[in-house]
Amino acid sequence: MLNEKHNGNHRFGSKIGFILSAAGSAVGLGNLWSFPYKAGVYGGAAFVLVTLIMVIILGLVVMLVEMYIGRHGRGDVVSSYAKISPKLKWVGYLALLVPFIISCYYIVIGGWSVKYAMSYLVAPDFINTAGDSNGAFTSFISSPYSPIIFTGIFLAISLVIVCGGIQKGIEKASKILMPTLLLLLIITVIRSLTLPNSEGVMQGLEFFILKFDFKALGWAGVVAAMGQAFFSLSLGMGAMIVYGSYSGKSTPLGKSAAMVCVFDTLVALLAGLAIFPAVFAYGLEPSSGPGLLFATMPNVFSSMPGGALFGFLFFALISVAAVTSVISLIEVATGYLIAKLKWSRKKAALLFGGMMMVIAVFISLSQGAIPSINFFQMDLLTFLDELTNTIMMPINAIIACIILGYVVKPKNAIIELRQTEKLKLGVMWGMLAKYVAPILIGIVLIFGVSAKVKSIGDGFYFVIGLAVFLVLVTVAVNIIGHRKDKKNTPIEPPLV
Ligand code: TRP
């Protein structure tokens, strides 16, 4: 077990295994929980449209950049960056921090979905008796022990898979779980679209795909859409770098990235189709925020024929999607510990899991049991979600693009990628990564953050905005300075 290279468990076994695992990482709570609730808050179709644009011009581009960096470096996040240049190690460390933060709150929400799935199976009364699923949800998340126990259960399931290794754990689980997920989702969509109140169903569809309310979107919505695209595609922190490094020699990365983006977006759209028609058909509010999934959907199920069964299927689906994503988050850090400290996979995963659990306890308690755990009027979960999605991930994505554009140079990357596929749009990809992505992400960041300053009127966001700006400047100076150092030593393509 010490050296994974010897047992063939250090790489994905097949192209399809790679694609499904990357898709498994991408498809998760981002698609099923945050995409619908953010669409509900930020004007429905307008948010959907902007998110789609972000996926196409930023998501796909950044995904290929990350997969490329991973396969070029063939190592964990830190050594992949270090392979490009030893001076870039710090970018890898930065990238390690984000998955750690995300996984701490991700497992809390994962725990909620396990609780809901199990409740529908064995005790649907938990949600239905009071006829008030909002109250049931609030009292559940604000109770001290129960959500923590379910968080622990969810984490334990994920750790078992990660401990199984790449082929026998992650890849095998993804091959079974991803098709199951798609099937469950399609069943829920059909149920939602065929509800008796067809007028409500139509209204839901209109809200989600036809009525563009750009006022409700605003700049805050645009930056949320960008964060959403990155989060949903698992970008801006090294997950795709790690997966890229595990990909087989002949896996066409461009095609794989495109397939993952299409699949991920499809699942998000299906989730919207499952949720909004049902929400409108039962006369509920689409803009209820993070509670949309847990507080609003159970209302829908309780008034639906066969509701307990659909409730179970729906939350089982969410739990499955969350597991396949969180294993990728955990893998980023365990992969690093295994490579760096020569730890066994088990030891690394358990240590990392233990640290996550400690922080998750505080996150769970901040949901109401101990309301004083909050930052700038946000509970710990919302705070960490905002911090990673709208600030840290976009910054990491900018850095990855700048490194590809100015240190690696697109033409070198394209030569390497073309050893396995035609990559017809290669030149365009290079231009988008070098010029468009960093500027666009930077603009959205600045406008989005300043829109928040206005809406919240809190000095906090101003400080964050300033910090963002300073970090960007530092990064630019660092990278450009570095480029001058290396001017005459172009990166040689590897001998794959
Ligand atoms: N993409 C996942 C989702 O939509 C979450 C996730 C998994 C993630 N791995 C990631 C987000 C890496 C950012 C980076 O739920």
Side-chain angles (χ1 to χ4, degrees):
M1 262 320 256
L2 259 187
N3 191 344
E4 301 205 328
K5 292 217 159 123
H6 293 303
N7 58 17
N9 205 14
H10 70 295
R11 249 181 220 179
F12 290 118
S14 60
K15 282 178 208 165
I16 187 72
F18 168 65
I19 293 173
L20 284 181
S21 306
S25 159
V27 173
L29 294 171
N31 309 61
L32 303 166
W33 166 72
S34 69
F35 175 68
Y37 101 65
K38 286 181 180 164
V41 172
Y42 292 113
F47 182 83
V48 177
L49 179 73
V50 176
T51 309
L52 288 181
I53 295 174
M54 292 296 182
V55 168
I56 297 167
I57 52 176
L58 293 180
L60 181 57
V61 170
V62 176
M63 183 171 289
L64 186 55
V65 169
E66 291 200 2
M67 283 181 173
Y68 165 78
I69 292 176
R71 189 159 72 192
H72 177 84
R74 276 273 178 243
D76 58 89
V77 199
V78 178
S79 64
S80 286
Y81 275 115
K83 169 103 186 273
I84 293 173
S85 153
K87 281 194 187 155
L88 291 175
K89 255 193 179 162
W90 60 275
V91 182
Y93 291 122
L94 203 67
L96 272 179
L97 188 67
V98 189
F100 179 70
I101 301 178
I102 296 180
S103 28
C104 294
Y105 72 82
Y106 209 89
I107 58 171
V108 174
I109 307 171
W112 298 349
S113 26
V114 172
K115 156 83 182 175
Y116 270 64
M118 279 170 63
S119 296
Y120 272 112
L121 202 58
V122 296
D125 285 354
F126 153 70
I127 303 144
N128 290 341
T129 35
D132 170 17
S133 53
N134 198 1
F137 175 62
T138 318
S139 77
F140 165 62
I141 59 168
S142 57
S143 61
Y145 304 115
S146 171
I148 295 178
I149 293 170
F150 281 96
T151 300
I153 296 177
F154 179 81
L155 175 63
I157 300 172
S158 319
L159 288 180
V160 168
I161 298 178
V162 174
C163 287
I166 293 150
Q167 275 187 28
K168 291 175 213 134
I170 298 179
E171 185 170 350
K172 206 165 161 197
S174 302
K175 271 189 184 158
I176 303 168
L177 294 178
M178 292 314 289
T180 316
L181 182 142
L182 203 60
L183 186 75
L184 289 179
L185 189 56
I186 289 171
I187 296 174
T188 328
V189 171
I190 294 174
R191 171 69 278 198
S192 182
L193 291 177
T194 54
L195 283 170
N197 174 5
S198 55
E199 213 172 281
V201 170
M202 274 314 292
Q203 275 176 1
L205 285 177
E206 243 171 48
F207 175 81
F208 184 59
I209 44 185
L210 294 174
K211 261 207 228 136
F212 300 97
D213 182 355
F214 286 104
K215 251 212 191 117
L217 183 73
W219 270 108
V222 175
V223 77
M226 184 174 79
Q228 172 59 33
F230 286 137
F231 183 82
S232 186
L233 294 170
S234 301
L235 299 175
M237 47 139 281
M240 290 300 155
I241 295 182
V242 173
Y243 276 29
S245 80
Y246 295 158
S247 67
K249 273 187 204 145
S250 58
T251 305
L253 291 185
K255 256 193 220 143
S256 309
M259 279 169 81
V260 175
C261 287
V262 168
F263 188 70
D264 184 74
T265 308
L266 195 74
V267 173
L269 293 176
L270 284 174
L273 289 182
I275 292 173
F276 290 107
V279 166
F280 279 79
Y282 290 99
L284 299 166
E285 259 307 302
S287 58
S288 61
L292 184 67
L293 204 56
F294 296 95
T296 309
M297 285 308 280
N299 267 326
V300 172
F301 294 126
S302 62
S303 23
M304 186 189 265
L309 175 67
F310 284 103
F312 165 69
L313 289 179
F314 187 73
F315 285 104
L317 158 82
I318 292 160
S319 312
V320 167
V323 165
T324 55
S325 295
V326 87
I327 53 184
S328 88
L329 285 162
I330 299 177
E331 184 63 26
V332 179
T334 43
Y336 174 72
L337 292 177
I338 293 169
K340 180 84 189 175
L341 305 177
K342 304 270 173 291
W343 282 12
S344 74
R345 177 166 276 280
K346 245 192 213 134
K347 189 170 161 192
L350 288 182
L351 177 95
F352 187 60
M355 285 176 8
M356 271 161 64
M357 191 64 209
V358 172
I359 298 177
V361 166
F362 288 98
I363 296 175
S364 184
L365 292 175
S366 81
Q367 295 302 299
I370 308 183
S372 58
I373 308 182
N374 69 43
F375 287 84
F376 308 100
Q377 299 140 19
M378 288 180 265
D379 65 77
L380 196 49
L381 197 160
T382 316
F383 174 72
L384 294 177
D385 191 41
E386 285 270 326
L387 186 70
T388 47
N389 274 14
T390 49
I391 296 167
M392 295 177 88
M393 291 179 9
I395 291 181
N396 276 348
I398 294 185
I399 298 176
C401 287
I402 293 182
I403 289 176
L404 187 102
Y406 300 89
V407 184
V408 176
K409 307 256 167 60
K411 63 174 192 307
N412 296 324
I414 294 170
I415 294 174
E416 218 176 305
L417 289 168
R418 284 203 171 135
Q419 291 169 353
T420 51
E421 65 187 322
K422 282 209 191 96
L423 203 73
K424 278 200 206 115
L425 298 176
V427 175
M428 196 166 116
W429 166 71
M431 306 258 278
L432 283 170
K434 188 168 176 178
Y435 304 109
V436 181
I439 295 173
L440 192 63
I441 300 173
I443 292 176
V444 176
L445 251 181
I446 290 167
F447 275 90
V449 170
S450 59
K452 278 197 175 139
V453 177
K454 275 192 215 127
S455 73
I456 295 194
D458 195 316
F460 162 66
Y461 276 108
F462 180 67
V463 175
I464 296 260
L466 209 66
V468 168
F469 179 65
L470 288 178
V471 170
L472 289 180
V473 173
T474 323
V475 168
V477 170
N478 197 319
I479 288 173
I480 290 166
H482 159 81
R483 193 164 56 121
K484 281 200 186 118
D485 294 345
K486 291 218 34 164
K487 226 172 197 161
N488 301 321
T489 44
I491 303 212
E492 13 47 267
L495 308 162
V496 249

